[in-house]
Amino acid sequence: MNHAARRIGRSLALVLPVVLVLSGTLAVTHVPWAPAPADSPVLASSAHQASAPDASTPAGPATHRAPKDVLRDRLIAELQEQDPGVALTSLQRAITRKPSLARHCVSIARALGKAAVHKYGAQRAQRFSRPVCDTSFASGVAQLS
């Protein structure tokens, strides 16, 4: 009996470290340490250079816009096409997907509030107010009222 236990212990002593190292290595390879290739500025730059230059693009290096600016512009366009409620829902989803944007939520929601006032007027825009980013949308509406 003692011999069988010793044999099992030796087998585990050899196999267990190998299993732990492999599982740790596999776990590390699945963590998104770098941005997705589509978000890579290198690829964006090469795609910009691959397209034919025209009069509307600057001759200098490609400008890289911050994700918060891209999100704000996309949400304002969504607000113009649909309504502020849809844009605020999209803002909540974007911040849930990418928590690093949470620190910009207040300024984005305020910009949405201002855009809603321009499109609907102050009273009607206020109806779309939600508690997104500590009521910053309502603050943006109030600034232009």
Side-chain angles (χ1 to χ4, degrees), residues 47-139:
H48 177 72
Q49 291 172 354
S51 64
D54 61 356
S56 65
T57 59
T63 58
H64 179 69
R65 295 181 57 206
K68 68 175 180 119
D69 297 332
V70 172
L71 176 62
R72 183 192 61 234
D73 293 346
R74 182 176 59 85
L75 291 175
I76 288 176
E78 191 171 291
L79 181 142
Q80 298 298 331
E81 292 173 9
Q82 297 177 16
D83 66 56
V86 174
L88 287 170
T89 301
S90 295
L91 175 60
Q92 284 178 324
R93 287 185 184 142
I95 289 177
T96 301
R97 266 193 320 266
K98 198 168 185 182
S100 63
L101 291 171
R103 66 176 179 231
H104 305 291
C105 184
V106 170
S107 63
I108 294 171
R110 193 170 292 138
L112 289 173
K114 291 176 183 179
V117 169
H118 287 296
K119 182 175 180 184
Y120 294 105
Q123 277 190 325
R124 188 162 175 221
Q126 191 64 36
R127 292 184 201 153
F128 292 101
S129 185
R130 292 191 194 161
V132 177
C133 307
D134 297 326
T135 64
S136 296
F137 177 82
S139 172

Side-chain angles (χ1 to χ4, degrees), residues 15-16 22-23 32 46-47 50-51 60-61 76 96 111 114 116 122 140:
V15 172
L16 193 57
L22 288 176
S23 65
S46 63
S51 64
I76 288 176
T96 301
K114 291 176 183 179

Side-chain angles (χ1 to χ4, degrees), residues 1 7 18 24 34-35 58 101 103 109 143:
M1 181 70 172
R7 192 171 184 179
V18 172
L101 291 171
R103 66 176 179 231
Q143 282 181 342

Side-chain angles (χ1 to χ4, degrees), residues 19-31:
V19 170
L20 289 174
V21 168
L22 288 176
S23 65
T25 303
L26 291 174
V28 169
T29 60
H30 289 291
V31 174

